[in-house]
Amino acid sequence: MSHIRFSTAGESHGPALVAIIEGLPAGVPLLAADVDGELARRQKGYGRGRRMQIEQDAIELLSGVRAGETLGSPIAMLIRNRDWKNWSEIMDPGLRDEDAGAGRKRQLTRVRPGHADLSGMLKYDRRDARDILERASARETTARVAAGAVARVLLAQLGITIGSHVVHLGGIDAASPTTLPDDLNAAADASPLRTLDAAADQLMIARIDELKASGDTAGGIAEVVVRGLPVGLGSHVSWDRKLDGRLARAILSIPAVKGMEIGAGFDAARKSGSEVHDEIEPAPGTPRTGNVRRRTNRAGGLEGGITTGEPLVLRAAMKPISTLMTPLATIDAATGAAALAAAERSDVTAVPAMAVIAESMTALVLADAVMEKFGGDSLGELRRNLDGYLSDVAARFGR
Ligand code: EPS
């Protein structure tokens, strides 16, 4: 991402998380509440552990916004960890091991299969997996959602909206209506698991309870849908400009996400061309799709790495959380001997949260693609550039 840049910092039980996002034009209306609303959405979902009762994520806006509008300068946001007060000695940046009295508490050496613990310890030459897991923790995604919320506000100013829903959890499919609700997030956020299927919710809740009782965990699949995109974001000309590849990188960087598909995805590979490709027909009065329409949207809104203007549809698959209360076999990294993995406090599932994180990463990639195509140092300039382009595109077929 070179037009919108963002980075995050912070450990799970450190004092705070930080997000910095840069590259937005000036004049975008932005309040802390816009970000806090997204942070609250990420904290929900049946199957989360006790940590989510401790935290109430909210940002302190440190820079880049004045009088409710962006300045075009880097936007820095701080999110304090409420749990820090319980971890301040363990995570103290200045207290050396030799001065830590009876020894550093909460060391983790019985490395968890599936977590970054062991590979991270070997790579970074650490004796305590806490030095790895504190940053590998999905707590970091709070800061991503903060940055994504800012990107989302920019996109909303241009008529582009992003929503998601959970379509699978722990072996149970949730049905999707043929036509998704106009306000997808209002519908999904009303469900304890962010599905659009109340019957599936009940089955998923029972499954989560069952897994919790047996000390196990669940994964699942979320679908992200973006509406209002103009045709022409991304490019076919070089591998690193293709929007599908840029989205895949962002989505697969989410902790525990192991798969991603666009449109018909893996299913398309099993079908013939006539069953997969979306036929095109004239559609006067639809400038965002170039005054044409696809009869179907199996391409998920992308052809040749470029948006078609049809809804962008992608799915992210999350593996079950790797901290199990009934531990798997492993080694103790202190001795190399066989052991059972450490059972840290954790969640049974975080698929509903992952859906919100996938929306956020999608927003960041799309905001980058928007700034790449249309540019502008102010929101007004960006809008003029978009409007000028849309009127040229719409004029092409004379309607
Ligand atoms: C996580 C373990 C749990 C989760 C955490 C991710 O935290 P703790 O170790 O404090 O019990 O709650 O997720 C969050 C804190 C969050 O904000 O999403 C892990 O090991 O990845």
Side-chain angles (χ1 to χ4, degrees):
M1 288 203 233
S2 53
H3 294 80
I4 294 281
R5 292 184 300 284
F6 84 99
S7 57
T8 72
E11 275 73 45
S12 180
H13 304 100
L17 300 161
V18 177
I20 299 179
I21 177 169
E22 183 174 1
L24 269 84
V28 179
L30 182 69
L31 295 172
D34 298 323
V35 177
D36 292 347
E38 295 304 318
L39 298 184
R41 292 181 61 231
R42 194 201 67 93
Q43 287 202 266
K44 292 196 188 120
Y46 191 83
R48 296 282 253 155
R50 267 181 295 121
R51 177 73 184 275
M52 286 304 96
Q53 288 154 23
I54 298 172
E55 304 299 340
Q56 271 174 25
D57 294 333
I59 60 157
E60 290 166 44
L61 209 38
L62 302 183
S63 72
V65 179
R66 178 164 175 258
E69 288 193 356
T70 58
L71 301 173
S73 55
I75 298 169
M77 295 170 279
L78 182 82
I79 302 133
R80 293 187 194 277
N81 288 322
R82 288 181 152 214
D83 209 11
W84 160 247
K85 63 178 189 308
N86 305 317
W87 291 77
S88 51
E89 200 178 311
I90 296 159
M91 294 299 293
D92 191 312
L95 183 67
R96 293 176 162 279
D97 269 351
E98 53 270 31
D99 303 326
R104 186 76 63 177
K105 293 192 194 95
R106 304 296 299 261
Q107 292 205 22
L108 193 150
T109 56
R110 290 178 291 116
V111 291
R112 294 161 296 173
H115 218 285
D117 298 348
L118 179 57
S119 308
M121 285 175 90
L122 296 174
K123 176 176 167 66
Y124 286 89
D125 191 20
R126 301 277 88 197
R127 304 286 136 181
D128 179 359
R130 185 154 302 286
D131 291 352
I132 305 302
L133 73 90
E134 283 288 335
R135 181 64 182 161
S137 164
R139 178 76 186 140
E140 182 265 346
T141 61
T142 310
R144 296 199 204 191
V145 171
V150 173
R152 189 192 295 260
V153 165
L154 173 67
L155 295 171
Q157 286 293 323
L158 306 176
I160 301 165
T161 57
I162 304 183
S164 72
H165 60 123
V166 170
V167 296
H168 183 95
L169 198 150
I172 296 151
D173 285 323
S176 294
T178 337
T179 311
L180 291 173
D182 280 343
D183 192 340
L184 177 55
N185 277 346
D189 288 348
S191 142
L193 291 157
R194 305 204 69 257
T195 78
L196 301 176
D197 179 349
D201 281 345
Q202 294 315 309
L203 296 172
M204 288 171 181
I205 286 172
R207 180 79 184 126
I208 291 167
D209 291 345
E210 207 177 277
L211 289 166
K212 184 174 184 179
S214 61
D216 214 337
T217 57
I221 303 171
E223 180 172 88
V224 175
V225 181
V226 188
R227 290 157 165 146
L229 288 166
V231 57
L233 300 180
S235 175
H236 65 290
V237 298
S238 289
W239 71 271
D240 56 346
R241 294 185 57 192
K242 286 178 169 260
L243 197 61
D244 16 25
R246 289 154 70 178
L247 287 162
R249 179 185 181 191
I251 296 294
L252 289 170
S253 76
I254 299 170
V257 169
K258 300 297 270 186
M260 189 267 203
E261 58 179 10
I262 294 172
F266 275 66
D267 252 6
R270 299 191 170 85
K271 295 189 167 150
S272 65
S274 61
E275 293 172 304
V276 168
H277 298 296
D278 306 306
E279 291 185 308
I280 302 171
E281 62 186 16
T286 59
R288 292 212 175 201
T289 46
N291 278 347
V292 298
R293 142 172 84 216
R294 294 340 186 249
R295 288 185 177 152
T296 49
N297 185 25
R298 297 170 193 131
L302 283 168
E303 286 178 349
I306 308 174
T307 54
T308 61
E310 301 290 345
L312 177 77
V313 183
L314 65 85
R315 278 178 291 280
M318 183 185 199
K319 69 179 179 178
I321 283 169
S322 49
T323 306
L324 304 188
M325 293 306 143
T326 303
L328 299 174
T330 187
I331 59 151
D332 188 328
T335 60
L340 285 177
E344 286 262 299
R345 176 185 71 185
S346 190
D347 309 317
V348 177
T349 194
V351 177
M354 184 276 284
V356 177
I357 300 157
E359 285 177 37
S360 307
M361 292 306 289
T362 302
L364 286 157
V365 171
L366 293 176
D368 180 57
V370 160
M371 293 311 293
E372 169 186 76
K373 171 102 180 94
F374 303 111
D377 293 307
S378 68
L379 180 60
E381 188 179 9
L382 170 62
R383 275 218 181 94
R384 279 198 301 280
N385 294 345
L386 170 63
D387 290 346
Y389 165 77
L390 286 177
S391 68
D392 278 1
V393 165
R396 173 72 78 101
F397 299 118
R399 282 175 289 260

